[in-house]
Amino acid sequence: MSKNKKINVEYEGKVIEVNEGTKILDIMEDLKPKKESVIVAAKIENELRELNYRLKESCELKFLDLTDSDGYRIYRRSLSFVFIRAAKEILSGARISVEHSLSKGLYCEIHYKRPISEDDVTRIEERMKEIVDEGVDIKKDRVPLNKAKDIFKNLGMESKTKLFEFQDRTELNIYTCGWLQDYFYGYMVPNTSYLKNFQLRFYEPGVIIRYPQKENPNEIPEFTEQKKLSSIFRESEKWGEILEVAYIANLNTHIKDNTYPELIRVAEGLHEKKTVEIADMIKEQNKRIVLIAGPSSSGKTTFSKRLSIQLKVNGLRPIELSVDDYFVNREDTPLDENGEYDFEAVEAVDLKLFNEHLNKLVKGEKVEIPTFNFKTGKREYRGKFMQIDEDQIIIIEGIHGLNNKLTEAISDDKKFKIYISALTQLNIDGHNRIPTTDTRLIRRIVRDSKYRGHSAKTTLGLWKSVRRGEKRNIFPYQEEADVMFNSALFYELAVLKKYAEPLLKEITKDDKEFLEAKRLLKFLHYFLSIERDEVIPQTSILKEFVGGSCFRD
C-alpha cells in the first residue's frame, strides 16, 4: 500500500482526495456527515466497514448511525464489551454472560461468589463511564486460532474455546479494550468515547444494559418492566440446564457424537409438557375463548393445532374462528403514514361485528359467519353458520389476539390469552447472543421458499415492514398474556442451516439485502448441520417450516 498514491472518496456528492491507507474516521471531519445520532460505521460497495478501516481504492462512502440496524448492533455490541470489562474490574473473578434482550435493553448476568447487589451495579456503571470518558481504543488484531484459544483459556472463557474446536479457520479477529481481550460476532466502534449514552439497571439476579433505540437514537427509552417475558426467558435457561445445551459448542458436540436424536426428543417433550400445562389451565379456569398471538414465524399454526389436541384430551371440543373473515371491505381499510392500505392495523377488522358475534356465540346463540373474498376485497355471506355448546372453546389465532379491542365485548374471566414467540434458547458463546429475531427470520426464509416460492432476497426485503407491524401491533401487548409459550427449539438452527444457506448464497453483492444475508450466513457457519429430518416428530413446530408437518393441509 503506497503512502503517496491518491484516491478519491465520495460522500453525498462531495469528493475529496486522500492518501491510500487513510482511515475512514480520519476523513470524517472533511466530509462532515450529517446523521441523526453518533456515527459508528460505514458502508463501501455494499460491504460493512469499521471506522478504523484503511481505504484501499477510490470509493463512495455511506455512514451508519444508530438508526441503521447494523449501526445499532455495533453500538450495543461495543457497549457490552465495556460492560464486561468494567464488571470484571469491580467484581474480580466474576464471569459475565450476555443473555437476551429485555425491556428495550440487554439482560446480562454476573456469576460471582455471592449474589450481586444494586450497589455493585452502580459501581460498574461508574467504572463504565470512566472507561468511556478515557476514550480507550478498541483494537482489532488478527490472531492465530491456537493463540486465540490460549487467550480464552487464560480468561476463563470456556464457551469460546469449545466453539472454535468446530471451526475450520486458522485465524481469528480478537478485540482489545485496555487489558481485556475478547472475540465478538461482528464489528466494534473505534474507541469507547462513542458510547456515551447508556444506563445500567439492577434487575435481579442480573443487570439490564440500557441504550437508545433505533426509533429515537439519542434518548434512552423509559423503562418498562416485562415480568412475564423475563419469566419465560428464565424458564428457557432452566430447560437449557436440563438439556445441558447453553451454547452452540454444546449442540455441536451432540451432533458430532450423534447423540442429538435424544436431545431432539427431550426438547420436543418439553414443548409437549408446556402445551399440556396450558390446556389444563384453560380447562380448570373454565375459559370459553382462547386467543393466540405472536410475531411472524413463531409457529402459531402448529401450536394452536397441538393445543386443540390437548384440549380434546381434556374433554373439550375446540373450534377455530378466523379473524381474517372479519376484515372490513377494502375501501374501508385504514391507511398507513404512506397512504397505503394498512391490513395489519386492528381497525382493518370489523371490530363491532366481530365482538357482536363472539358475544352471541358465548351465549349459545347461532350466528352467520362471513367469508372475506380476498380477490374482490369484499365480505360475503355464504350460509356458514356457527353455534357452540358449553363444552366448546373458540380458538382465535392472529396478530391482534392480545389487543383488548379485538374482544372488548367479552369479559376477561372468559378469555385466555397466549403469547407465542421463538425466544432463542441458545447463544453463540457467553458474550455473543443469537437474537430471537434472527431465529424467526431464518424460519421464514425457509418456509417462504418452500411454500410461497419466495427467494431469500424477497423475504429479507419484506422483513423491515414485518418487523414494523410487530412493533406496532404485537409487542406492546405481550405482557397482557395469561401465559407465554417459547416455540424455539435448541436444535433447530442446525436443521434450518442446510435449507437457509443455499437460499442466502443466491443474494449477490449488488443486492441491497447482501449485508444481512452475509451476517446470517456467518452465524449459521458456527453450527454443525443436522442432516436427518426424519428424527424430528411430525408434530414439531419446526416441521411447519421445513415440511412434513402432520398439521399442514
Side-chain angles (χ1 to χ4, degrees):
M1 197 178 288
S2 171
K3 289 185 178 179
N4 298 322
K5 183 181 177 182
K6 300 292 184 180
I7 59 175
N8 292 326
V9 179
E10 180 181 351
Y11 170 69
E12 293 190 348
K14 182 178 181 179
V15 180
I16 62 172
E17 189 180 68
V18 302
N19 290 326
E20 180 189 16
T22 300
K23 291 182 179 180
I24 294 173
L25 61 85
D26 290 336
I27 59 173
M28 287 175 63
E29 183 62 32
D30 293 328
L31 293 174
K32 295 181 170 54
K34 294 181 180 178
K35 300 292 285 184
E36 290 184 46
S37 67
V38 59
I39 293 171
V40 296
K43 274 186 188 179
I44 303 175
E45 303 296 333
N46 213 9
E47 289 278 9
L48 189 62
R49 299 298 182 195
E50 290 176 304
L51 296 180
N52 270 326
Y53 178 78
R54 293 184 182 274
L55 298 165
K56 300 175 183 177
E57 56 189 4
S58 296
C59 62
E60 181 180 356
L61 282 180
K62 293 183 179 179
F63 289 102
L64 307 181
D65 65 0
L66 269 67
T67 63
D68 182 273
S69 293
D70 288 300
Y72 175 75
R73 282 190 282 263
I74 287 170
Y75 190 91
R76 180 177 59 193
R77 185 182 304 119
S78 304
L79 199 56
S80 69
F81 193 15
V82 175
F83 168 75
I84 292 164
R85 176 184 158 181
K88 284 179 170 290
E89 290 177 354
I90 297 300
L91 302 172
S92 179
R95 180 175 63 84
I96 288 79
S97 59
V98 178
E99 298 288 342
H100 51 75
S101 295
L102 186 68
S103 299
K104 295 186 177 179
L106 191 59
Y107 176 74
C108 305
E109 290 189 354
I110 300 173
H111 309 275
Y112 194 48
K113 57 189 175 185
R114 59 166 173 79
I116 65 166
S117 65
E118 193 160 1
D119 180 61
D120 292 327
V121 175
T122 300
R123 290 164 60 215
I124 293 169
E125 183 179 60
E126 289 171 353
R127 181 59 188 135
M128 285 180 71
K129 289 177 180 177
E130 290 172 357
I131 295 170
V132 168
D133 290 341
E134 289 169 18
V136 180
D137 287 340
I138 298 178
K139 301 173 184 178
K140 180 169 71 175
D141 294 299
R142 196 77 176 160
V143 175
L145 185 59
N146 287 338
K147 184 178 177 181
K149 287 182 178 179
D150 287 340
I151 291 170
F152 301 147
K153 186 177 181 180
N154 291 334
L155 290 170
M157 299 178 183
E158 186 181 357
S159 62
K160 292 182 190 292
T161 306
K162 289 183 177 179
L163 176 68
F164 292 103
E165 289 176 2
F166 299 96
Q167 298 293 296
D168 54 8
R169 63 184 76 185
T170 58
E171 292 182 316
L172 210 60
N173 286 327
I174 298 290
Y175 285 96
T176 302
C177 177
W179 62 270
L180 182 60
Q181 293 177 291
D182 206 344
Y183 170 80
F184 286 92
Y185 159 58
Y187 289 157
M188 293 279 180
V189 296
N191 68 70
T192 59
S193 66
Y194 286 69
L195 307 170
K196 294 187 182 297
N197 207 356
F198 72 92
Q199 292 175 359
L200 294 190
R201 185 182 184 95
F202 177 53
Y203 195 81
E204 197 170 11
V207 183
I208 297 177
I209 307 174
R210 307 190 62 237
Y211 39 80
Q213 302 295 295
K214 287 189 295 183
E215 299 78 15
N216 193 355
N218 294 307
E219 292 184 18
I220 298 171
E222 182 180 346
F223 179 77
T224 303
E225 189 165 17
Q226 295 180 300
K227 287 185 177 180
K228 291 177 182 176
L229 192 63
S230 176
S231 175
I232 203 71
F233 271 122
R234 284 178 186 164
E235 181 181 74
S236 296
E237 284 181 41
K238 183 181 176 183
W239 286 12
E241 290 170 5
I242 293 170
L243 295 169
E244 296 182 335
V245 182
Y247 304 120
I248 291 178
N250 305 126
L251 176 61
N252 284 345
T253 300
H254 279 286
I255 297 169
K256 181 183 176 183
D257 296 343
N258 202 35
T259 57
Y260 67 88
E262 178 68 10
L263 180 75
I264 289 174
R265 286 189 283 271
V266 176
E268 294 290 347
L270 287 167
H271 264 194
E272 197 63 36
K273 180 181 179 183
K274 184 71 175 180
T275 308
V276 169
E277 289 172 356
I278 292 171
D280 289 346
M281 291 169 67
I282 293 167
K283 168 79 171 180
E284 290 164 8
Q285 296 175 22
N286 195 29
K287 301 294 184 178
R288 300 302 310 280
I289 294 174
V290 174
L291 297 145
I292 302 171
S296 173
S297 303
S298 292
K300 295 184 290 293
T301 301
T302 300
F303 172 75
S304 65
K305 300 292 187 185
R306 289 173 68 166
L307 180 64
S308 291
I309 290 171
Q310 295 301 333
L311 289 171
K312 289 175 183 176
V313 170
N314 283 346
L316 301 172
R317 292 188 296 141
I319 60 168
E320 294 182 19
L321 184 64
S322 172
V323 179
D324 288 359
D325 284 328
Y326 287 85
F327 276 140
V328 298
N329 291 333
R330 187 77 37 85
E331 64 270 19
D332 298 322
T333 304
L335 305 179
D336 63 16
E337 63 272 19
N338 298 317
E340 298 177 354
Y341 289 129
D342 187 357
F343 297 109
E344 292 189 342
V346 70
E347 291 79 14
V349 178
D350 188 335
L351 297 171
K352 181 179 178 182
L353 181 65
F354 189 72
N355 275 275
E356 179 185 318
H357 280 191
L358 275 183
N359 201 24
K360 287 182 176 179
L361 286 168
V362 169
K363 292 178 179 178
E365 298 177 23
K366 182 187 288 188
V367 299
E368 185 176 5
I369 304 298
T371 299
F372 191 81
N373 188 323
F374 284 90
K375 289 184 178 180
T376 64
K378 300 285 185 182
R379 185 190 304 148
E380 300 173 353
Y381 288 90
R382 302 175 181 175
K384 186 170 75 175
F385 291 89
M386 182 182 288
Q387 187 174 17
I388 64 172
D389 298 326
E390 287 188 6
D391 64 346
Q392 290 188 287
I393 288 176
I394 301 172
I395 295 180
I396 301 168
E397 176 211 317
I399 63 173
H400 300 296
L402 305 185
N403 186 339
N404 194 53
K405 286 183 179 179
L406 186 70
T407 56
E408 60 186 349
I410 307 299
S411 60
D412 288 341
D413 64 311
K414 292 184 174 67
K415 294 184 287 192
F416 192 88
K417 297 179 179 181
I418 303 168
Y419 176 75
I420 174 173
S421 187
L423 304 172
T424 313
Q425 303 166 326
L426 190 73
N427 280 337
I428 295 172
D429 59 43
H431 298 162
N432 291 278
R433 52 185 287 273
I434 298 174
T436 60
T437 305
D438 285 351
T439 301
R440 293 192 293 108
L441 176 54
I442 289 171
R443 281 181 173 184
R444 180 155 175 158
I445 287 169
V446 173
R447 185 193 64 190
D448 283 2
S449 172
K450 187 171 185 66
Y451 293 110
R452 300 178 183 177
H454 289 179
S455 65
K457 177 184 173 182
T458 300
T459 301
L460 288 175
L462 293 170
W463 191 242
K464 185 176 180 180
S465 173
V466 171
R467 293 281 293 148
R468 183 182 62 181
E470 292 171 352
K471 288 179 180 180
R472 288 179 179 177
N473 301 311
I474 299 173
F475 297 147
Y477 305 101
Q478 57 190 2
E479 287 291 312
E480 300 293 322
D482 294 294
V483 69
M484 291 187 175
F485 182 87
N486 186 358
S487 70
L489 292 155
F490 289 94
Y491 69 88
E492 68 176 278
L493 288 168
V495 174
L496 292 167
K497 175 179 178 174
K498 63 180 177 288
Y499 294 100
E501 280 186 335
L503 300 171
L504 290 165
K505 287 177 180 177
E506 291 174 358
I507 297 174
T508 69
K509 197 172 180 178
D510 294 330
D511 297 320
K512 68 180 189 327
E513 296 82 10
F514 174 73
L515 264 183
E516 186 69 347
K518 184 178 178 181
R519 185 184 69 83
L520 294 173
L521 280 167
K522 182 181 177 183
F523 103 74
L524 283 173
H525 184 69
Y526 292 114
F527 290 87
L528 295 184
S529 182
I530 291 177
E531 299 295 332
R532 295 170 53 211
D533 284 3
E534 68 270 17
V535 298
I536 306 167
Q538 287 183 311
T539 55
S540 174
I541 279 174
L542 188 54
K543 288 287 192 178
E544 183 178 325
F545 304 95
V546 302
S549 172
C550 62
F551 298 121
R552 192 169 189 93
D553 294 331

